[in-house]
Amino acid sequence: MFQGNNGSNTANTGDKSAFVTAVLKNDGQTTYALKGGDSQSGGLTTWWNGALPTRPGYRPMHQEGGIILGTGGDNSNWNRGTFFEGVMVAGLPSGTTENAVQANIVSVGYSGETNVPNGPQGRITGPGGKCADVAGDDTAVNGAAVRLWDCQNYAEDQYWTQQSAGSLSTIGRCLDITGNETTNGTLVELWDCNGGANQVWKQQSNGSLLNPRSGRCLDSPNASTANGTRLEIWDCNGTSAQTFTLH
């Protein structure tokens, strides 16, 4: 995509595949071309082939070529980052050369998920198929409410890792029983992982998550499935209100 003093090319709709090949060639004097395609199959489509922008510095070109191999984003929990693999060729490549590069890329067989956080993480799904979610737009602060919410691929705070000691962690903190209490109705929250017994959760055969210290299970009050429902602990009863599956 080029956005400059000549405006944008609205006819270029880009490529919506999970893995994308993008090709730029430029003779540095009068013309440049953009091509793209699915890195998993097929060939390249020409998105633009025409005059260089009239903006100073683009005709003739005085910049040297370069390839960006990765971007890190803004360092937030929403940041996904992007990884690029690059190819540079000498001179102005022919269509035959570009097609050969695309065929080589397709032959690699890129695959896998590109829209979920990386690592050994899984969701905790509960009543109504909703996800255990941390309030506050992926910000990891002590005391943040843990609640039910619609499952979202890009919500980093809906992806949990089960640690060897039995704790469940997301965005750097653990699922915790507030105040180290053991009574029915005590809310759960996010807190610094500390190895405490109030942060241990054991998956049961009936789908519930048991905290051994309190002898109680993770629970959605009144089996609510509404977004924003605060989760609590309650006497284990095997009902749908306590069906929380880590997967």
Side-chain angles (χ1 to χ4, degrees):
M1 180 181 68
F2 177 84
Q3 173 69 50
N5 66 325
N6 292 346
S8 59
N9 179 15
T10 57
N12 177 9
T13 57
D15 190 289
K16 296 180 180 179
S17 57
F19 299 86
V20 179
T21 303
V23 177
L24 164 68
K25 66 178 179 181
N26 190 331
D27 69 0
Q29 298 294 321
T30 60
T31 185
Y32 78 107
L34 294 170
K35 294 183 178 181
D38 187 339
S39 298
Q40 294 177 296
S41 64
L44 298 173
T45 300
T46 299
W47 294 340
W48 171 262
N49 188 0
L52 289 169
T54 58
R55 182 177 175 177
Y58 284 89
R59 183 185 298 178
M61 289 287 288
H62 295 293
Q63 290 85 0
E64 295 192 13
I67 297 175
I68 300 173
L69 294 180
T71 62
D74 59 7
N75 201 36
S76 73
N77 289 311
W78 280 7
N79 167 51
R80 306 309 299 271
T82 304
F83 176 73
F84 302 92
E85 293 188 70
V87 177
M88 293 187 73
V89 298
L92 189 68
S94 66
T96 300
T97 298
E98 294 166 335
N99 291 336
V101 169
Q102 168 66 356
N104 182 268
I105 291 171
V106 170
S107 72
V108 172
Y110 287 102
S111 63
E113 293 286 339
T114 61
N115 62 343
V116 296
N118 297 318
Q121 304 175 99
R123 287 192 171 118
I124 303 173
T125 54
K130 299 293 179 72
C131 280
D133 174 277
V134 180
D137 289 337
D138 293 349
T139 53
V141 296
N142 281 337
V146 178
R147 60 190 185 172
L148 289 180
W149 203 268
D150 291 331
C151 298
Q152 301 165 319
N153 278 346
Y154 289 102
E156 178 69 33
D157 61 359
Q158 290 183 357
Y159 287 84
W160 301 78
T161 300
Q162 188 155 38
Q163 308 297 336
S164 58
S167 61
L168 292 167
S169 64
T170 184
I171 53 177
R173 287 181 166 84
C174 282
L175 181 63
D176 179 280
I177 300 173
T178 304
N180 207 21
E181 292 287 336
T182 61
T183 57
N184 276 337
T186 302
L187 298 175
V188 297
E189 63 184 3
L190 202 67
W191 200 268
D192 289 332
C193 299
N194 53 37
N198 63 325
Q199 295 183 352
V200 176
W201 303 92
K202 301 293 185 182
Q203 185 84 68
Q204 305 299 294
S205 60
N206 64 359
S208 61
L209 282 172
L210 169 70
N211 172 248
R213 178 177 181 271
S214 65
R216 293 184 166 85
C217 288
L218 189 65
D219 181 275
S220 175
N222 301 312
S224 174
T225 61
N227 281 342
T229 300
R230 286 289 305 269
L231 300 180
E232 62 180 8
I233 57 171
W234 199 267
D235 289 333
C236 299
N237 52 41
T239 66
S240 62
Q242 296 183 355
T243 302
F244 288 89
T245 305
L246 178 65
H247 57 92

